[in-house]
Amino acid sequence: MRLASFNVMHGRTLSDGRIEPGRLAAAIARLNADVLGLQELDRGQPRTGGRDLTAEVATATGTGAQARFVATVSGVPGQEWEPATGDPVEIDAPTRGPEYGIGLVSRWPVKSWHVTRLSPTKLRSPVLVPGPKAQSGKLLVPSARPALIQDEPRAMLAAVIEAPFGPVTIATTHLSFVPGWNVKQLRQVFAALAELPGPHVLLGDLNMPAHGVKLAISTLGNVATPWRMLAKLPTYPSKGPRIQLDYALTDSDGELPELLHAHNPALALSDHRPLLLEFA
């Protein structure tokens, strides 16, 4: 069994700024995951030529893979947009205009799909955004500038899956970058998953360091089985990762196969590295 969480950054390669379908397909094929939690997906966006990235990941995952996309933003990120609503979108459904969000792809049969919209924040937070390229020796390298950015809406997408070892609920999310608010959202995710069949696995870009994850877990109160991190590996930035933003969490107590290996392979796209876990 192989599970992966990957913030694909709409399939963009940082080194040359290009967005090429072949690179995304090659990255997904290299991961060879049975279930993928995906963040920063485009659907019908001009910058990605109107493509459906979730559908492309499903195709690269293999024949018969099931997938759903959940829009968090309707419109064009960074320009005109509004919070998205609605149910998970099948990969063969007509495009409803430019959308942006999260997705889940599974090689195993999915019994049901579930969406939870997370509490939004109206706060703005300082982040580094790409600026014009600057000269460094003979190379043009990307520069960055601080900017106050309005946080985008957030959601969780979960699938109740018939895995070879038994039923399991696997979910993905992409939480707020606003410190503290992402901890609140993670607690909302845990509460929503508690309503679905266990065991549970959460794959996602949580936009917080490990101590934030531990804080969210420690403030849950009395739960039957505490949540825990399946792997501690840096995933950001993609070149020389220094901090962990991407996680695999579970509340399983011996119900999952044995975890054999976890790693963060360098791929030819995104500013994140995926988190890939291999089980017996």
Side-chain angles (χ1 to χ4, degrees):
M1 180 174 82
R2 292 164 69 95
L3 306 180
S5 180
F6 190 19
N7 180 327
V8 303
M9 198 181 75
H10 57 273
R12 184 178 297 277
T13 299
L14 287 182
S15 59
D16 59 14
R18 293 165 64 183
I19 302 173
E20 295 187 358
R23 291 179 181 177
L24 177 60
I28 298 305
R30 181 177 170 191
L31 289 176
N32 191 28
D34 297 300
V35 182
L36 285 133
L38 303 156
Q39 306 86 44
E40 296 198 15
L41 291 167
D42 279 3
R43 190 171 191 268
Q45 291 287 346
R47 66 187 175 188
T48 40
R51 293 156 48 200
D52 183 344
L53 299 192
T54 310
E56 292 181 17
V57 171
T59 298
T61 299
T63 303
Q66 295 179 256
R68 291 292 187 275
F69 167 80
V70 168
T72 54
V73 166
S74 293
V76 179
Q79 299 181 30
E80 290 190 17
W81 59 268
E82 61 183 14
T85 58
D87 296 326
V89 177
E90 297 184 37
I91 55 177
D92 56 354
T95 302
R96 304 174 296 191
E99 297 176 309
Y100 170 81
I102 60 176
L104 198 64
V105 177
S106 174
R107 286 174 173 162
W108 300 325
V110 176
K111 295 177 64 178
S112 58
W113 299 90
H114 306 267
V115 175
T116 300
R117 301 283 174 181
L118 305 177
S119 297
T121 174
K122 296 181 180 180
L123 298 175
R124 291 179 177 267
S125 184
V127 297
L128 289 176
V129 298
K133 290 190 174 182
Q135 191 77 33
S136 176
K138 295 182 179 180
L139 299 176
L140 283 174
V141 296
S143 60
R145 56 183 176 81
L148 285 174
I149 299 298
Q150 175 66 51
D151 194 19
E152 65 198 42
R154 308 288 173 167
M156 178 196 74
L157 171 62
V160 180
I161 293 172
E162 288 290 352
F165 56 87
V168 59
T169 295
I170 300 180
T172 191
T173 191
H174 185 194
L175 300 184
S176 170
F177 54 72
V178 177
W181 202 267
N182 44 25
V183 174
K184 176 181 178 179
Q185 289 178 335
L186 183 53
R187 289 197 294 263
Q188 285 184 280
V189 167
F190 290 151
L193 288 174
E195 302 296 319
L196 298 174
H200 308 99
V201 177
L202 176 65
L203 306 168
D205 176 358
L206 305 185
N207 265 327
M208 67 178 84
H211 66 79
V213 176
K214 293 176 181 177
L215 176 62
I217 293 172
S218 67
T219 54
L220 281 176
N222 294 326
V223 293
T225 306
W227 283 84
R228 59 187 173 88
M229 288 184 278
L230 284 167
K232 298 179 181 179
L233 288 170
T235 59
Y236 183 86
S238 54
K239 184 176 181 180
R242 298 183 298 276
I243 61 174
Q244 184 167 6
L245 296 180
D246 307 87
Y247 295 87
L249 311 178
T250 188
D251 62 354
S252 167
D253 186 14
E255 299 167 283
L256 295 179
E258 178 188 0
L259 178 62
L260 300 177
H261 184 55
H263 54 121
N264 54 352
L267 302 177
L269 54 89
S270 184
D271 55 347
H272 288 241
R273 289 195 183 188
L275 182 63
L276 177 64
L277 297 93
E278 301 181 51
F279 297 80

